[in-house]
Amino acid sequence: MKLLLTVLRRTQKPALYRGHRNRSLSSSPSSGLSPVRDDALVVGSSQELVRRLGSQVEVRTSFITEEEEGAFLQELEPGLKKKRYEYDHWDDAIHGYRETERARWGAACEEVLNRVRSSAFPEGSQLLGPVHILDLDKNGFIKPHIDSVKFCGSTIAGLSLLSDSIMRLVREDNSSEWLDLLLPRRSLYILRDEARYNFTHEILKEEDSVFSGQLVPRLRRISIICRNLPG
């Protein structure tokens, strides 16, 4: 099922304030990042905004292992290879992508998805049907949008495979309020409540992928996205 997205445009702003997390980010052979100290995974337009949304925006580095990433790729690649990358999304929200949904998983992937569910969603929360898989080409990107409240509830959670990337959040009614999230390969991001309902989110093009002054190289990126139901 394709989700209705509201596409909004905005201008890029420089990062000003850092958020803090309990995990540090370091480079690895599979990452294009130089070592990043300090848990600096979220920056924003103001310290007050970073603080206010601190419990609603999370990035958990190394949420899955290299072996678990490989298990997902083994399950997904045969189906994805049969699809072509598309450059004219039905509502112009995504460029250079292919997508699918999956309801049944092998044991290793299902165990990881259970970890995602227990980490991201309130206990007893009803989740939206099949898991959404979005495969972005190296030159692909996702434009600013808000997932339709008709289909999606208060929380969105996504695993990032194959590439580091930057997710940008911008307040729908005030583009001067924004956050940038650094999403390392094999990390989990979580958007909740105000961050999910009142802010657009997007994945930046490679040429725009600069985080705290550091270029974040983009490769092909697969995201595995879980959402809960409205209500």
Side-chain angles (χ1 to χ4, degrees), residues 74 105 109 154 168-169 180 198:
Q74 186 174 6
W105 298 86
C109 295
S154 63
R168 176 163 292 159
L169 278 64
D180 278 357
N198 298 333

Side-chain angles (χ1 to χ4, degrees), residues 110-146:
E110 189 62 40
E111 191 278 330
V112 172
L113 290 171
N114 285 335
R115 287 207 319 262
V116 172
R117 293 166 186 137
S118 63
S119 298
F121 298 95
E123 187 173 356
S125 181
Q126 289 188 301
L127 300 190
L128 177 67
V131 175
H132 183 200
I133 292 91
L134 185 59
D135 180 356
L136 280 184
D137 180 66
K138 172 179 167 59
N139 296 314
F141 56 93
I142 303 175
K143 297 179 181 180
H145 68 276
I146 296 176

Side-chain angles (χ1 to χ4, degrees), residues 13 84 170 192:
K13 307 286 186 182
R84 293 183 178 182
V170 182
R192 299 185 178 97

